[in-house]
Amino acid sequence: MSRMEILRFALRGLAANKLRSFLTTLGILIGVAAVIMLVAFGEGASQGIQQSIQRLGANTLTVSASFGGGGGGFGAGGGAGGRQEGPRTQARQLTLEDARALADPGQAPSVKSVSPVVTANSATAVYEGADHTISQLVGTYPSYFEATNKPVETGSYFVNDDVLAARKVMVIGRTVAEELFGAASPVGRQVSVSGVPFTVVGVLKEAGSSGTQDADDVAIVPLPAVQQSLTGFGPLGSIIVQATGAGTTESAQAEVTAILNQRHGVTPAGTADYRILNQATLQETVSSTIGTFTALLGAVAAISLLVGGIGITNIMLVTVTERTREIGIRKAIGAPRSAILGQFLVEATVLSLVGGLSGVLVAFAGTRFTVAGIEPVLVPSSIALALGVSVGIGLFFGSYPANRAARLRPIQALRHE
Amino acid sequence: MSVPVLEVRDLVKVHGEGDARVRALRGVCLTVERGDYVAVMGASGSGKSTLMNILGCLDVPSSGSYLIDGTDVGALGERQLAILRNRKIGFVFQSFNLIPRMSALANVELPMAYGGVPAAERRSRALAALERVGLSERVHHEPNELSGGQQQRVAVARALVTAPALLLADEPTGNLDTRSTEDVLRILDGLSASGRTIVVITHEDDVAAHAKRVIRLVDGQIVEDRRQAPVDGLPPRMTTEAAG
């Protein structure tokens, strides 16, 4: 009895019940495809989020004012500290003086650069009849470009002199350039923002969109220029601090905390009136969260794979019971046990292998689509795992009914009705 | 004298336990020479089917031993039993027992597939066997497209295609009409005339009349052993036909 012969018998057995074989295969197909696709979407989401975090800039800390909790002091016109909101004395806004203090190399040796930031939301820019509402108009220092990883593609950056002189110059994002100028080069042109003319000196390299927010719908101008013309000389929106290296972000954070605590009069037991967002910490937290999420998705998919496997067992049990008489006949004319066992094992394996492989194909097709802004990333190990598990399930769950069939004494099998 | 095809010594078979205990065979001794044509007769419950199942290695006896073509069956393992069933025994069942959804040809080829015969030889031998039972026209029909008599002839072809030492037939005509019965019996006569050893189980005297030797079983014991024709001669019906 050759292997080919056993394979032929098995295929004939499967073909005898096409619909049943198809449905069983479908169960495995869905299980395998679900595992691969869900893991791919999880991985895609994780990579997408990692990228958008990295796009924010490497080794940076973002300091912003915090009004949550005991923010009662603010707006009360310098009200006394002993209020019932807690031990916090008085919430203060971030100021340019805070930023200058952070830039002191003596007190903060791990800090490479400090960029104070004010943001004007939804400023309308006009150029020769074309107008566009810039979703983010940022007033800052030149170090901002490096800290937040925003390189200029054409034209140039503005420099410290522009800041000192409060020149009305601006670097714009790709979206703004296209909306206002179309294909023409914007460098050197004058754009009017809320009636104030600005000269475009550079265009940023395209950053791509992260989720719903368009990172290219941005304009960056010197800090005093935006304060003079648009926001006024109020508090800073945030301070971007860049550490000297990846290894020094932690110490930079400690230094920044110490300086700000001292300047804002925050006691060690009190609640700070500012927040520090650490890019590295954020990235770690997010990736571990996404990892958990992916594992959860994978587990759900694995359950459907298991259900598919139980489907195979069920079908093989039915098949064996239904064909007990046939098994008896085959044994009576001299079929060895191994041939019977082989036939049913091959049937189960073919079912799960065909289901598994088509599941992989479906998953390959499915992961070519972008769903909800997530670009799926195929994880090779998940393919190997899903396929291996499906074939393993076929062999494992198929071997029980097959063994039962092969062990029958011919006369028992023949008498079976 | 050559080794007998079948040598049975003191065969006992007990079914069930306790109160439900039934002694189907109570010490059967039997020797069948090569070329003999034996009819085993008996009423229902006489143990003839039990004997046949044990001789065909489909069931195992409670005690006693038997040799097929010189091989002690009781000493064989699972694998060797399968080989023995495949090479030495051809079995014809009352209910035909063809495999559904397989053509007559595929059914006849099946024992040779398990026996490891190459595909081309298998085909030619299967076609020859089907021709011998007069079914050359219907080799590609499936069992449900054949009449009962035709199905039984396919089953006979399947039993003889491996050239077994012993052809066992368990009530081969039990489910057939008179004409089909005659067809099948004529084929068995022809096989006997060409030297095959045949053991057939029946409760019909007409069928037994074709055999060279008739054994009668009552309550699991042999009560009569009558020879109707010599072992090396033609079966009785063929001699009378030739004479008439």
Side-chain angles (χ1 to χ4, degrees):
Chain A
M1 190 79 194
S2 70
R3 275 149 212 253
M4 281 308 292
E5 210 76 50
I6 291 178
L7 184 65
R8 238 187 48 202
F9 283 146
L11 292 181
R12 190 178 284 166
L14 292 176
N17 241 313
K18 291 193 183 66
L19 182 66
R20 183 197 284 172
S21 305
F22 169 73
L23 289 175
T24 314
T25 311
L26 192 66
I28 287 290
L29 185 157
I30 291 172
V32 169
V35 168
I36 297 175
M37 281 169 75
L38 288 182
V39 170
F41 276 106
E43 182 69 16
S46 160
Q47 287 192 6
I49 291 172
Q50 300 259 10
Q51 272 168 12
S52 43
I53 291 172
Q54 267 167 13
R55 207 181 288 139
L56 295 176
N59 313 327
T60 58
L61 307 171
T62 305
V63 185
S64 52
S66 159
F67 311 115
F74 177 73
R83 297 178 68 136
Q84 56 193 24
E85 275 84 1
R88 182 174 183 168
T89 46
Q90 186 177 0
R92 288 194 213 164
Q93 293 282 25
L94 293 169
T95 61
L96 211 50
E97 283 67 43
D98 288 334
R100 289 202 182 104
L102 294 178
D104 176 9
Q107 275 188 295
S110 304
V111 173
K112 186 180 176 192
S113 73
V114 175
S115 321
V117 172
V118 293
T119 308
N121 285 319
S122 306
T124 303
V126 182
Y127 172 74
E128 287 183 356
D131 67 298
H132 173 68
T133 305
I134 303 166
S135 66
Q136 245 196 326
L137 182 71
V138 177
T140 185
Y141 285 4
S143 57
Y144 179 82
F145 293 102
E146 192 199 332
T148 59
N149 193 16
K150 288 192 195 311
V152 161
E153 195 175 45
T154 52
S156 61
Y157 303 95
F158 57 78
V159 293
N160 282 328
D161 273 355
D162 296 323
V163 175
L164 291 174
R167 288 197 190 107
K168 306 276 189 298
V169 291
M170 106 196 288
V171 174
I172 57 177
R174 169 69 56 195
T175 306
V176 180
E178 277 168 10
E179 291 288 330
L180 290 179
F181 302 96
S185 168
V187 178
R189 317 278 173 127
Q190 277 214 336
V191 173
S192 147
V193 181
S194 304
V196 183
F198 282 86
T199 308
V200 177
V201 295
V203 180
L204 293 173
K205 191 163 177 272
E206 190 167 3
S209 63
S210 59
T212 52
Q213 204 187 356
D214 184 0
D216 293 315
D217 193 6
V218 68
I220 301 162
V221 299
L223 179 69
V226 74
Q227 284 177 323
Q228 275 175 13
S229 53
L230 296 166
T231 60
F233 291 87
L236 296 176
S238 60
I239 302 172
I240 310 280
V241 177
Q242 189 180 23
T244 49
T248 55
T249 45
E250 293 298 323
S251 53
Q253 183 167 0
E255 289 157 16
V256 169
T257 310
I259 295 167
L260 288 180
N261 278 356
Q262 190 206 346
R263 290 183 53 82
H264 289 210
V266 177
T267 57
T271 314
D273 56 1
Y274 59 91
R275 269 182 317 187
I276 300 176
L277 191 70
N278 187 334
Q279 222 71 264
T281 324
L282 182 69
Q283 202 159 337
E284 259 168 48
T285 314
V286 169
S287 47
S288 82
T289 312
I290 296 272
T292 315
F293 188 60
T294 308
L296 194 73
L297 283 180
V300 170
I303 289 171
S304 74
L305 192 57
L306 187 71
V307 171
I310 292 169
I312 284 197
T313 321
N314 192 11
I315 287 304
M316 292 316 293
L317 270 173
V318 170
T319 306
V320 166
T321 313
E322 202 181 68
R323 282 157 60 186
T324 304
R325 214 180 140 80
E326 180 188 324
I327 293 165
I329 300 171
R330 284 176 186 272
K331 293 199 94 170
I333 61 174
R337 189 168 164 172
S338 59
I340 304 280
L341 188 70
Q343 178 181 342
F344 286 98
L345 266 188
V346 169
E347 278 190 25
T349 311
V350 165
L351 279 182
S352 56
L353 197 64
V354 168
L357 285 175
S358 22
V360 171
L361 287 183
V362 167
F364 266 98
T367 48
R368 298 179 72 89
F369 297 102
T370 305
V371 177
I374 298 170
E375 237 174 86
V377 176
L378 278 173
V379 184
S381 63
S382 77
I383 297 173
L385 188 79
L387 206 56
V389 166
S390 80
V391 173
I393 279 175
L395 279 175
F396 182 78
F397 287 110
S399 65
Y400 167 67
N403 239 317
R404 225 178 59 160
R407 258 210 312 272
L408 287 171
R409 228 190 291 162
I411 193 68
Q412 294 171 317
L414 277 172
R415 287 210 184 110
H416 186 92
E417 286 302 327
Chain B
M1 181 121 205
S2 65
V3 184
V5 171
L6 194 58
E7 204 174 345
V8 179
R9 294 191 208 111
D10 213 16
L11 210 59
V12 173
K13 177 70 179 177
V14 180
H15 291 304
E17 298 277 317
D19 288 346
R21 206 172 141 93
V22 176
R23 294 175 69 193
L25 294 177
R26 314 178 179 210
V28 172
C29 295
L30 177 68
T31 303
V32 178
E33 300 297 335
R34 192 170 303 278
D36 210 349
Y37 184 0
V38 182
V40 177
M41 295 197 70
S44 159
S46 60
K48 57 186 194 310
S49 279
T50 306
L51 178 63
M52 188 60 104
N53 288 334
I54 292 173
L55 294 185
C57 305
L58 303 181
D59 206 352
V60 287
S62 303
S63 72
S65 66
Y66 63 115
L67 283 72
I68 293 176
D69 213 21
T71 313
D72 186 356
V73 176
L76 297 181
E78 167 98 30
R79 174 181 282 274
Q80 287 141 323
L81 264 181
I83 295 172
L84 183 80
R85 281 196 286 262
N86 188 251
R87 303 217 179 125
K88 305 266 171 144
I89 302 170
F91 215 115
V92 178
F93 300 89
Q94 179 176 357
S95 51
F96 323 138
N97 278 347
L98 297 177
I99 293 178
R101 290 189 292 270
M102 266 171 88
S103 69
L105 184 64
N107 261 291
V108 177
E109 279 187 6
L110 196 57
M112 290 185 286
Y114 288 125
V117 178
E121 187 189 339
R122 215 188 287 166
R123 173 142 304 216
S124 62
R125 275 168 69 178
L127 286 171
L130 282 164
E131 194 182 340
R132 180 145 197 193
V133 298
L135 285 174
S136 303
E137 308 291 305
R138 304 201 154 254
V139 291
H140 295 299
H141 287 64
E142 291 185 0
N144 56 5
E145 299 163 336
L146 298 170
S147 72
Q150 288 167 338
Q151 287 189 51
Q152 193 60 301
R153 276 144 69 191
V154 172
V156 172
R158 183 179 66 184
L160 65 86
V161 74
T162 51
L166 178 64
L167 193 65
L168 294 171
D170 186 356
E171 304 256 19
T173 60
N175 284 359
L176 301 181
D177 59 30
T178 325
R179 264 199 61 192
S180 303
T181 301
E182 274 174 23
D183 285 344
V184 169
L185 289 177
R186 197 175 306 125
I187 291 165
L188 291 180
D189 279 354
L191 289 171
S192 175
S194 63
R196 290 255 169 269
T197 312
I198 303 173
V199 175
V200 60
I201 279 190
T202 185
H203 60 268
E204 292 170 75
D205 291 329
D206 284 352
V207 176
H210 284 257
K212 296 174 184 172
R213 178 183 174 194
V214 177
I215 289 171
R216 201 172 290 274
L217 269 181
V218 173
D219 289 339
Q221 281 176 312
I222 295 176
V223 295
E224 188 193 346
D225 189 346
R226 179 164 49 91
R227 181 156 290 286
Q228 304 187 132
V231 173
D232 45 4
L234 287 175
R237 278 297 163 93
M238 287 183 92
T239 44
T240 50
E241 269 171 32

